Amino acid sequence: MTRQTARDEILRVAVEIIDEHGEAALRMADVAERAGVAIALISHHYMSREGLITEAQMTRFRRLPFLDNERIEEGLMATSEVAEFRSGMRALTRDVIGSARAAFRMERVTVIASSFGRDDLTERLRAATGEITDGLERVIALAQRVGFVRPEFDPRAISLAVQAYAIGLVIADLDPARPDDDRLAEVIEAFLDGVFVPA
């Protein structure tokens, strides 16, 4: 096993353990055993349990949002009509609302919560959030230039609002009287309709 392969496997196992049992269950001996490496190799690559947790939490945090940014950009590039782009965004909204995303929402919330009191993880999360927001802002600014999104709104503010509603759906996931996906989508689409140029 090469050094990079070993490093990747250690990280994969750490993420898997946190996904399955939570951060408190992550033990260096368990990671070493499951990854098929010596504990010293984990320390070599990640310095400490804390360093490994930081890397694992960052991997968990980054898993999903970049895919959505790419999907929005692909939808933008594939159409020349605002109505068609809005239709694609409605489909994305339905995906984001769906129960399949509930685990990802909770995952992001738990990663954010785990950064409390951990300056290194907090700074890494700030940087990652900035990158995610930069990417979405760039796509929204492009949508403004082609005339799909109203130009008077700040594209970064739109990007942050979209991310806020997406992660905020964790509240809906916990609500025992949660409205169905169609009712939630109606409200979110009303918001989105406010930023789109009328068809």
Side-chain angles (χ1 to χ4, degrees), residues 15 59 63 106 123-124 147 150 163 170 174 193:
V15 167
T59 298
R63 269 198 276 223
M106 187 58 78
E123 287 308 309
R124 300 272 308 274
R150 291 170 51 185
Q163 292 176 77
V170 75
L174 295 171
D193 285 346

Side-chain angles (χ1 to χ4, degrees), residues 97 172 175-184:
I97 289 170
D175 182 4
R178 181 189 197 272
D180 66 28
D181 289 355
D182 290 334
R183 295 205 181 261
L184 280 172

Side-chain angles (χ1 to χ4, degrees), residues 139-183:
V139 174
I140 291 167
L142 178 58
Q144 287 175 319
R145 285 194 299 276
V146 299
F148 291 177
V149 172
R150 291 170 51 185
E152 66 267 28
F153 292 122
D154 181 286
R156 192 165 194 91
I158 295 171
S159 173
L160 290 168
V162 166
Q163 292 176 77
Y165 98 70
I167 198 168
L169 286 167
V170 75
I171 300 301
D173 298 332
L174 295 171
D175 182 4
R178 181 189 197 272
D180 66 28
D181 289 355
D182 290 334
R183 295 205 181 261

Side-chain angles (χ1 to χ4, degrees), residues 61-105:
F61 186 78
R62 287 179 172 269
R63 269 198 276 223
L64 192 62
F66 293 115
L67 300 176
D68 287 345
N69 286 358
E70 290 171 9
R71 185 171 167 187
I72 294 167
E73 187 169 9
E74 287 168 4
L76 179 62
M77 301 311 243
T79 184
S80 60
E81 295 185 16
V82 68
E84 189 177 345
F85 181 66
R86 286 170 77 169
S87 177
M89 293 304 94
R90 282 189 173 97
L92 177 59
T93 297
R94 301 289 172 150
D95 287 349
V96 168
I97 289 170
S99 60
R101 294 278 186 109
F104 287 108
R105 285 189 284 273

